[in-house]
Amino acid sequence: AQGWAARNALRPGGVRAQAPEEGPLAGMEEDPAAPIATLNRTPGAPQSLPSVITFSLQSASISVGRLESNNVVLNDKKISKVHCRLTLRTCKQKGVDNGEILKRVFIKDSSSFGTFVNGQALQKEQWVMLQEGDIIGLRNPHGNASLGEYLTRYMEAGQAAASSAQAPPVAAAPPAAMPPAQQPQQAVVDPRLAQQQQQQPPLATEAGAASFVGAQALPGASPADRRP
């Protein structure tokens, strides 16, 4: 596109992908300069590599290799002249009716010694979609994904994480009201029975035994208190 080189001059420590000539991203009504995805250099990667590679609608493709004509140059004997290519594409989520249209970075290996994603070698000349958090290895990490050179990030994933962090906490439901304590039920005494018990004379007992009136024991009663 005319004027693309001027708009995409390299920033310190960064690189922009090339503008797509034609393809599914062309003509979309979005801010063409808005970042969609980035490749962030890992701590163990060579410092000569750009720290950030940005993909947008107007910067959708890059090549990586040993030649100076590549967007990202790495002068290493294990790096091919054109080692791999990356491009931004639109795709539809699989397995979902009316799946969401996504923008994802795809990578293709064109090297002699291999390009790796999460420690696994890619098949030659096959486009593979990069997921959030995937680590790209330009040199053989021998199965160790942490030894790659670039970490894949999508802007939508970062925005979702920020929204989740800013969401207010969900208020806990108030504790359920405890049922009122049940009062012990009092026995109902028939008043006629109580009157009969009061009128009943003391029962004669054997010597040394206590006297009873109704159901109540009378302590201290003696045989001398008995009536003839």
Side-chain angles (χ1 to χ4, degrees):
Q2 185 176 5
W4 182 89
R7 293 195 306 271
N8 293 275
L10 293 184
R11 297 175 297 171
V15 64
R16 284 186 176 274
Q18 294 177 348
E21 297 179 359
E22 294 181 2
L25 292 176
M28 297 185 67
E29 296 182 358
E30 296 183 27
D31 181 2
I36 296 174
T38 62
L39 300 181
N40 301 303
R41 188 181 66 201
T42 62
Q47 296 298 305
S48 60
L49 290 174
S51 60
V52 179
I53 301 172
T54 303
F55 291 86
S56 65
L57 295 182
Q58 69 181 14
S59 308
S61 299
I62 68 167
S63 63
V64 181
R66 198 171 68 247
L67 292 178
E68 293 293 333
S69 58
N70 290 292
N71 304 95
V72 177
V73 179
L74 180 59
N75 189 8
D76 188 289
K77 62 181 181 180
K78 295 295 181 69
I79 300 299
S80 300
K81 294 179 180 179
V82 178
H83 196 83
C84 65
R85 301 180 185 275
L86 297 101
T87 187
L88 185 67
R89 296 180 176 180
T90 56
C91 54
K92 200 169 185 179
Q93 187 176 6
K94 293 183 178 180
V96 179
D97 294 337
N98 299 323
E100 179 184 1
I101 300 298
L102 306 174
K103 300 181 184 67
R104 291 293 181 264
V105 176
F106 285 74
I107 185 171
K108 181 174 69 173
D109 176 39
S110 303
S111 68
S112 300
F113 295 99
T115 302
F116 304 82
V117 174
N118 299 329
Q120 302 298 317
L122 300 178
Q123 293 184 3
K124 294 289 188 289
E125 302 299 333
Q126 297 292 322
W127 287 106
V128 176
M129 184 174 68
L130 295 174
Q131 302 288 355
E132 170 72 16
D134 281 352
I135 298 180
I136 301 170
L138 303 176
R139 299 165 297 181
N140 192 345
H142 301 287
N144 189 344
S146 64
L147 297 180
E149 282 77 22
Y150 281 104
L151 175 67
T152 308
R153 291 296 187 202
Y154 289 99
M155 299 300 102
E156 60 188 21
Q159 293 170 359
S163 301
S164 177
Q166 295 175 1
V170 178
M178 297 295 292
Q182 296 183 354
Q183 299 294 333
Q185 296 183 354
Q186 297 182 355
V188 179
V189 180
D190 189 342
R192 293 174 297 176
L193 178 60
Q195 185 178 6
Q196 292 177 2
Q197 291 177 348
Q198 292 177 359
Q199 295 176 354
Q200 183 176 359
L203 297 177
T205 61
E206 297 295 332
S211 297
F212 289 85
V213 176
Q216 300 295 326
L218 295 179
S222 64
D225 297 330
R226 292 177 298 182
R227 296 181 181 179

